[in-house]
Amino acid sequence: MSNISGPTLMKRRLLASVVEIQLLYAAPIWSPTMNFTARTRVNLRRPQRAAALRTIRAYRTVSDDAAFLLAGMPPVDLIAAERVRVKAKAELPSLPGEKPPTENSIKRIERKTTITEWKSRWFYSRKAPWTHRLIPDLARWINRTVPKVPWSYQIY
C-alpha cells in the first residue's frame, strides 16, 4: 500500500489485523515454550511493524515503538502473552455455586494488563524521543476519544 492516498484507515486496520492473526495463530500453545530473546522479538515484530507503518501511512524510518503506538497495536509478544493468560484463566474450574467469568470479561482484564506492560516498555524505550515528548502517557493515547466530524463538514 502506498503512503499517499490508497485505502482508508479502517481498511488499513483490517489488513493489519489479518497480519496479527497470522502471527498469533496458536499463540497460547507456542508462546509459553518460546524463549523471547531479542532476535525472536525482532522476527515476530517485523511483519507487524510493516503493517503498523502502512496503517499510519508512515515511512520506514519511523521506529517500531512509535509505529505500534500510533497505530494502537500492542507488540505481538505482549499479545501472545495476553492470549496465554486468557486461555489459562478460561480453563480454571469455578467454585460450585459461583458463576464463572465470561471470556469477554477475562479478555478485558488481560488487555488492561497488556496495556500496563506496554506502558512500562514505552516509558523505558530509548526509541522515538519526539513521540515520547508528544505522547508521554500511552494509556491516555490508547483510550482517547476522538470527536467525529459531521459528514457535512468533511472536505473531499
Side-chain angles (χ1 to χ4, degrees):
M1 284 185 283
S2 63
N3 285 338
I4 301 168
S5 70
T8 62
L9 176 66
M10 296 312 290
K11 290 177 185 174
R12 289 170 182 266
R13 288 190 68 100
L14 175 67
L15 292 173
S17 69
V18 170
V19 170
E20 193 173 279
I21 288 168
Q22 289 177 341
L23 282 172
L24 294 170
Y25 179 74
I29 297 167
W30 58 257
S31 180
T33 60
M34 197 167 181
N35 183 11
F36 280 109
T37 60
R39 184 73 184 149
T40 307
R41 280 193 184 132
V42 167
N43 288 338
L44 279 175
R45 290 171 76 160
R46 187 174 291 140
Q48 187 188 23
R49 179 180 184 270
L53 289 174
R54 293 296 151 236
T55 301
I56 61 173
R57 296 180 181 189
Y59 293 105
R60 62 188 172 106
T61 56
V62 175
S63 73
D64 54 350
D65 289 343
F68 295 151
L69 175 74
L70 294 173
M73 299 167 55
V76 71
D77 56 316
L78 292 179
I79 298 173
E82 173 186 327
R83 292 199 177 173
V84 169
R85 292 190 308 265
V86 167
K87 183 177 184 236
K89 286 187 179 180
E91 291 176 350
L92 284 176
S94 61
L95 297 173
E98 185 178 295
K99 190 172 111 176
T102 63
E103 190 172 341
N104 285 336
S105 66
I106 294 171
K107 285 180 180 180
R108 271 195 309 273
I109 292 167
E110 293 306 323
R111 180 50 60 124
K112 288 179 184 176
T113 305
T114 301
I115 297 295
T116 303
E117 291 175 18
W118 187 19
K119 187 177 179 179
S120 67
R121 192 182 284 187
W122 173 249
F123 182 76
Y124 291 110
S125 175
R126 297 188 137 194
K127 296 179 180 178
W130 276 104
T131 312
H132 265 285
R133 205 178 263 189
L134 296 173
I135 308 170
D137 188 9
L138 180 136
R140 185 173 173 204
W141 174 260
I142 296 297
N143 298 323
R144 74 190 183 281
T145 56
V146 180
K148 301 274 186 207
V149 178
W151 180 81
S152 60
Y153 295 118
Q154 293 178 354
I155 300 172
Y156 293 99

